[in-house]
C-alpha cells in the first residue's frame, strides 16, 4: 500500500506541478520513485516532525500541495500542535500520510505502532480522515486528495490479501458497500478489511446475511449509510486495528446514539490498554482477538 | 508624535479597551515591526496579496497588538477591527487568527510555529524562483522551543538566503527573566553555529535595524534585536509584570502621560 501511495503520487506529480513530498527522514526506498523524478519537490527535512508540518503549512500557503510522510505516531502525535494550528486551524492544504497502521510495525514495539491516529485526527475541525482497506482504495484516495483543498490525513496499512473493493464508487466521504446484506452490517476500515471478509464468511456459514462495508473515510463519516442501516434495524459491528476509543467504532456509535433508534452494536478493536506483547502484527492482533481466520 | 509613539499609543488604547495582557511583549516589538513594514519590506496595501512580495510572519503571536497597530497604520487593518480587539463580539483576538482580517501570513500564538512556516514560505519562493524575502520575528523566550532550532537547521542546510529571523530579545518571559530560566546570553553564537549570518543590534534603533536588515547575505540571517520589555512606558519597562498587566483607568492615564513625555 505504501508503494501504491508513492507510485500514484509520483504519477500525479507529472501533471500537477504543485505536488511536493516532505518527510522527516522516513520512506527509505519507498519514496525513491518520487525523489528520483522530482528532486526539487522532495524535501527530507531531517528528523524534525514539528518543523516538517510547519514547513508544509508554509509551502501550502504559497499554493503548493505538500504531502508529509512518516510513521503514524511521528506524523500525527509528535507534531500534533503544529497539525492543530498550522494545518487544521489555518485550513492549509497539507496532506498527512501515516504508515504502519495498527500493529503493522508490531515487532518494533509500541512506540512505532499506530493505534490512536484516527482518534487524534478526527477531533480536529477541517480534517478529513481516511484509511484505505486495499490498494485500490489507496490509489483512489490519493488521486482524489490532490483535488481536495482542505487538510487531510491518510492512514496507510498493509496486508497481502488482495483487493476487496471492486466497486466503482470509491469516493472520499462515502462508504463503499462491498456486499449487500440483510441482518447484520460489518463495517471495517484499513488493515481490518481482510478480517471483515473472514468474519463475513463465518456468519454466512451460520446462515446470516451480512452487509460488508469498507468505511475508508472515518471523517466525515457516511451518516446516511449508517442511518439507513439503523432504519432497517440491522445489527452493526465495527472493525478497526485501532483503539476502540475515538476511531471508527466511536464515530459509528455517535451516529447510532443520536438517531433516536436502537440496534445491536459491537466494536471490535484494541481495548483501552497498551500492548506490551512482543511479536508481529498477526501475533499481537491475536492477543486482542482481532484475527477472524480460524 | 513620532510614528512609533503613535503605534505605542494605539497598543495602549487597545489594551485599555480590552483589558488584554501581553502589553510588554507588544511594546518591545514596535521598532522591529515598524522598520520592517515601513522601511524595509516590499509590502503595501496594494501588493499584500501578491506572491512576489516580501512576507513577514510574527511567530511570537502574543505580541499581536503591535502587529495590528502597524497594519492599521499601513492601511490594511480597518479602524473597526482595531476598535474590536479582544472584546466580546470582537474581530481581532489576542493571538493571531489569519481569517480575522487581511494582512496576516499565518495564525500565531503557539510558540515555535511561525518560524517553521516562514521557512516553508522561503522554500516555496526558491521552488518557483520568486523574488522577495521572508522575515519572521520570534521572542527570546520562544527560542527555548526546540522547533525553532529544527527550523533554523533546515534554513541553513537549504541555503535560504531569502530568510531572516529577528529575535525580539527583551530578556523577559511569562514567569521571569529569560536568562535565569534558560541561559541564552549566547543566542548570537547559537545562530552563528547553525550557519546564520548574525547581527546584534539595538532593537529600538530604527536606523540600525534598517541597516542590518538591508545588508545582503548569502546565508540565512539572524538579527538579535536587544529590546526592553514594555518599552516606552516607564512603569512597565524591564518588568516581568508587564507581560500580564491589565490597564485600569489609573494605569492607562499614567501610561499615556509617560508616553507623551517622550
Amino acid at each position: 500500500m505504501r508503494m501504491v501511495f508513492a507510485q500514484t503520487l509520483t504519477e500525479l506529480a507529472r501533471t500537477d506541478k504543485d505536488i511536493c513530498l516532505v518527510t522527516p527522514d522516513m520512506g527509505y526506498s519507498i519514496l525513491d520513485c518520487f525523489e528520483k523524478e522530482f528532486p526539487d519537490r522532495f524535501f527530507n527535512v531531517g528528523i524534525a516532525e514539528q518543523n516538517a508540518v510547519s514547513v508544509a503549512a508554509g509551502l501550502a500557503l504559497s499554493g503548493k500541495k505538500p504531502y508529509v510522510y512518516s510513521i503514524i505516531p511521528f506524523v500525527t502525535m509528535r507534531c500534533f500542535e503544529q497539525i492543530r494550528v498550522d494545518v487544521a486551524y489555518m485550513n492549509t492544504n497539507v496532506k498527512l500520510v501515516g504508515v504502519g497502521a495498527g500493529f503493522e510495525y508490531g515487532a518494533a514495539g509500541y512506540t512505532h505502532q499506530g493505534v490512536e491516529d484516527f482518534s487524534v485526527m478526527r477531533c480536529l475541525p477541517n480534517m478529513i480522515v481516511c484509511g484505505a482497506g486495499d490498494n485500490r482504495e489507496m490509489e483512489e484516495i490519493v488521486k482524489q486528495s490532490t483535488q481536495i483543498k482542505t487538510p487531510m490525513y491518510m492512514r496507510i496499512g498493509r496486508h497481502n490479501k488482495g483487493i476487496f473493493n471492486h466497486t466503482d464508487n470509491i469516493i472520499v466521504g462515502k462508504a463503499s458497500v462491498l456486499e449487500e446484506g440483510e441482518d447484520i452490517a460489518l463495517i471495517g476500515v484499513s488493515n481490518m478489511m481482510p478480517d471483515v471478509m473472514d468474519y463475513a464468511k463465518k456468519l454466512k456459514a451460520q446462515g446470516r446475511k451480512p452487509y460488508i462495508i469498507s468505511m475508508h473515510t472515518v471523517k466525515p463519516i457516511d451518516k446516511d449509510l449508517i442511518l439507513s442501516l439503523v432504519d432497517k434495524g440491522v445489527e452493526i459491528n465495527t472493525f478497526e486495528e485501532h483503539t476502540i476509543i475515538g476511531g471508527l467504532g466511536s464515530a459509528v456509535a455517535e451516529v447510532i446514539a443520536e438517531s433516536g433508534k436502537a440496534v445491536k452494536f459491537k466494536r471490535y478493536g484494541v481495548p483501552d490498554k497498551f500492548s506490551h506483547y512482543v511479536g508481529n502484527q498477526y501475533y499481537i492482533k491475536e492477543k486482542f482477538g482481532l484475527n477472524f481466520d480460524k | 508624535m513620532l510614528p512609533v509613539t503613535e503605534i505605542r499609543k494605539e497598543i495602549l488604547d487597545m489594551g485599555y479597551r480590552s483589558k488584554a495582557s501581553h502589553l510588554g511583549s507588544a511594546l518591545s516589538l514596535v521598532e522591529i515591526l515598524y522598520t520592517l513594514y515601513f522601511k524595509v519590506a516590499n509590502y503595501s496595501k496594494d501588493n499584500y496579496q501578491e506572491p512576489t512580495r516580501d512576507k513577514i510572519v510574527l511567530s511570537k503571536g502574543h505580541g499581536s497588538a503591535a502587529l495590528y497597530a502597524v497594519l492599521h497604520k499601513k492601511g490594511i487593518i480597518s479602524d473597526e477591527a482595531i476598535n474590536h480587539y479582544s472584546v466580546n463580539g470582537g474581530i481581532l483576538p489576542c493571538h493571531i487568527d489569519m481569517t480575522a482580517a487581511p494582512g496576516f501570513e499565518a495564525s500565531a500564538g503557539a510558540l515555535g510555529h511561525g518560524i517553521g512556516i516562514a521557512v516553508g514560505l522561503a522554500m516555496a519562493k526558491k521552488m518557483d524562483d520568486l523574488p522577495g524575502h521572508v522575515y519572521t520575528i520570534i521572542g527570546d523566550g520562544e527560542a527555548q522551543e526546540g522547533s525553532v532550532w529544527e527550523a533554523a537547521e533546515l534554513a541553513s542546510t537549504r541555503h535560504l538566503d531569502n530568510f531572516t529571523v529577528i529575535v525580539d530579545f527583551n530578556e523577559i518571559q511569562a514567569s521571569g527573566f529569560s536568562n535565569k530560566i534558560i541561559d541564552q546570553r549566547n543566542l548570537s553564537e547559537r545562530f552563528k553555529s547553525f550557519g546564520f549570518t548574525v547581527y546584534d543590534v539595538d532593537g529600538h534603533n530604527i536606523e540600525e535595524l534598517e541597516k542590518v536588515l538591508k545588508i545582503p547575505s548569502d546565508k540565512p540571517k539572524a538579527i538579535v534585536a536587544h529590546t526592553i520589555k514594555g518599552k516606552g512606558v516607564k512603569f512597565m519597562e524591564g518588568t516581568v509584570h508587564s507581560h500580564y498587566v491589565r490597564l485600569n483607568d489609573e494605569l492607562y492615564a499614567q501610561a499615556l502621560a509617560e508616553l507623551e513625555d517622550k
Side-chain angles (χ1 to χ4, degrees):
Chain A
M1 212 179 275
R2 292 175 301 176
M3 287 310 297
V4 171
F5 163 76
Q7 286 162 358
T8 307
L9 194 71
T10 304
E11 195 180 315
L12 292 163
R14 287 179 193 135
T15 50
D16 189 338
K17 299 204 179 321
D18 290 326
I19 290 174
C20 45
L21 195 45
V22 177
T23 177
D25 201 37
M26 281 293 159
Y28 177 73
S29 82
I30 303 295
L31 304 178
D32 288 2
C33 55
F34 189 100
E35 183 181 10
K36 202 171 168 188
E37 197 165 335
F38 305 108
D40 296 339
R41 289 192 261 159
F42 178 84
F43 305 112
N44 184 339
V45 298
I47 307 164
E49 291 80 6
Q50 298 178 75
N51 191 48
V53 173
S54 293
V55 163
L59 292 168
L61 287 167
S62 307
K64 305 297 177 193
K65 297 178 180 175
Y67 287 69
V68 185
Y69 178 101
S70 188
I71 296 178
I72 285 171
F74 313 145
V75 77
T76 59
M77 287 166 264
R78 175 60 175 251
C79 46
F80 184 72
E81 202 201 34
Q82 276 77 10
I83 296 171
R84 176 177 180 261
V85 178
D86 307 357
V87 179
Y89 180 48
M90 288 165 59
N91 204 13
T92 49
N93 187 4
V94 173
K95 305 295 190 263
L96 304 158
V97 184
V99 289
F103 300 115
E104 187 182 329
Y105 294 132
Y110 174 73
T111 56
H112 285 54
Q113 294 163 3
V115 290
E116 306 98 345
D117 48 329
F118 284 150
S119 313
V120 296
M121 290 295 106
R122 203 167 73 87
C123 70
L124 295 172
N126 292 333
M127 185 67 73
I128 294 171
V129 180
C130 289
D134 63 26
N135 285 344
R136 201 158 168 267
E137 289 184 354
M138 187 76 245
E139 185 179 341
E140 272 306 317
I141 289 168
V142 177
K143 281 182 182 169
Q144 289 170 37
S145 73
T146 64
Q147 303 306 313
I148 293 169
K149 292 181 178 168
T150 57
M152 192 168 165
Y153 168 67
M154 281 169 264
R155 171 194 241 223
I156 299 183
R158 180 165 59 183
H159 62 72
N160 56 3
K161 304 285 175 59
I163 301 291
F164 305 107
N165 194 337
H166 297 284
T167 66
D168 55 5
N169 66 341
I170 302 173
I171 298 165
V172 171
K174 290 283 170 197
S176 291
V177 180
L178 309 187
E179 277 184 45
E180 294 286 346
E182 276 183 22
D183 56 346
I184 184 169
L186 310 182
I187 304 178
V189 66
S190 181
N191 283 356
M192 286 301 283
M193 285 316 295
D195 303 283
V196 168
M197 304 308 285
D198 288 339
Y199 191 49
K201 262 186 216 166
K202 282 187 187 177
L203 291 178
K204 284 176 187 172
Q206 293 165 13
R208 298 194 71 178
K209 293 178 178 169
Y211 288 87
I212 302 176
I213 296 163
S214 175
M215 194 66 83
H216 45 71
T217 309
V218 175
K219 185 188 170 191
I221 194 86
D222 189 344
K223 282 186 188 173
D224 292 344
L225 179 96
I226 299 165
L227 290 174
S228 73
L229 295 168
V230 172
D231 282 343
K232 291 175 199 159
V234 173
E235 176 182 351
I236 295 175
N237 290 183
T238 58
F239 299 82
E240 57 196 315
E241 203 172 312
H242 182 276
T243 171
I244 54 168
I245 299 172
L248 171 69
S250 296
V252 173
E254 287 159 14
V255 177
I256 297 172
E258 289 187 336
S259 72
K261 297 173 185 171
V263 291
K264 280 181 81 176
F265 175 71
K266 178 162 178 61
R267 293 169 296 167
Y268 290 95
V270 181
D272 185 23
K273 62 185 211 179
F274 289 111
S275 164
H276 292 281
Y277 300 116
V278 178
N280 65 17
Q281 182 178 22
Y282 188 89
Y283 177 85
I284 297 174
K285 280 175 74 178
E286 189 69 17
K287 291 291 181 189
F288 289 121
L290 294 176
N291 293 322
F292 294 85
D293 56 346
K294 289 173 190 163
Chain B
M1 199 179 269
L2 291 169
V4 289
T5 310
E6 287 170 0
I7 291 165
R8 285 200 164 87
K9 182 175 182 307
E10 185 140 285
I11 292 169
L12 294 174
D13 290 346
M14 291 162 75
Y16 173 64
R17 283 194 299 266
S18 64
K19 303 291 178 280
S21 57
H22 297 129
L23 290 168
S25 317
L27 291 168
S28 70
L29 262 177
V30 172
E31 281 79 10
I32 294 170
L33 290 178
Y34 176 77
T35 308
L36 274 175
Y37 281 94
F38 284 90
K39 304 279 184 185
V40 175
N42 170 25
Y43 186 102
S44 69
K45 196 179 175 183
D46 301 323
N47 78 354
Y48 73 86
Q49 290 174 317
E50 298 293 326
T52 54
R53 63 164 171 77
D54 294 335
K55 300 193 174 187
I56 303 168
V57 179
L58 181 62
S59 195
K60 54 166 281 187
H62 55 292
S64 65
L67 179 63
Y68 299 154
V70 168
L71 288 176
H72 183 219
K73 198 168 190 54
K74 201 85 183 160
I76 292 170
I77 285 185
S78 67
D79 294 346
E80 194 197 3
I82 288 292
N83 291 330
H84 289 81
Y85 164 73
S86 193
V87 291
N88 290 337
I91 296 172
L92 299 171
C94 277
H95 295 95
I96 301 164
D97 175 352
M98 68 186 294
T99 68
F104 308 124
E105 306 295 354
S107 299
L111 297 176
H113 291 215
I115 183 171
I117 293 171
V119 167
L121 293 171
M123 283 167 58
K125 278 188 180 292
K126 291 282 182 191
M127 286 172 79
D128 292 338
D129 207 16
L130 287 174
H133 201 91
V134 181
Y135 302 92
T136 186
I137 305 100
I138 66 170
D140 56 321
E142 184 176 7
Q144 294 157 16
E145 294 277 11
S147 56
V148 165
W149 302 100
E150 293 183 1
E153 67 197 12
L154 185 65
S156 59
T157 300
R158 298 199 69 84
H159 310 291
L160 297 181
D161 55 4
N162 60 347
F163 174 75
T164 295
V165 54
I166 303 161
V167 185
D168 176 12
F169 203 160
N170 62 31
E171 298 190 25
I172 292 172
Q173 57 195 84
S175 311
F177 293 93
S178 305
N179 290 323
K180 284 189 181 169
I181 294 165
I182 294 291
D183 191 342
Q184 297 182 117
R185 286 171 298 177
N186 64 351
L187 199 60
S188 304
E189 285 73 27
R190 286 198 212 172
F191 273 107
K192 264 178 212 152
S193 71
F194 269 71
F196 282 59
T197 303
V198 182
Y199 299 96
D200 275 82
V201 297
D202 172 355
H204 298 302
N205 185 324
I206 293 167
E207 282 175 16
E208 217 176 302
L209 281 165
E210 183 180 356
K211 187 178 146 199
V212 295
L213 280 163
K214 286 183 173 173
I215 297 173
S217 169
D218 57 0
K219 297 191 283 189
K221 201 193 288 183
I223 296 172
V224 179
H226 296 274
T227 58
I228 296 167
K229 187 136 177 166
K231 172 74 175 175
V233 179
K234 267 281 170 286
F235 72 84
M236 288 194 216
E237 283 188 358
T239 67
V240 178
H241 183 56
S242 72
H243 195 85
Y244 291 119
V245 67
R246 293 167 199 272
L247 295 180
N248 58 23
D249 292 350
E250 190 185 342
L251 288 176
Y252 176 59
Q254 189 183 340
L256 285 186
E258 289 181 3
L259 257 194
E260 281 161 11
D261 284 346
K262 303 227 167 225

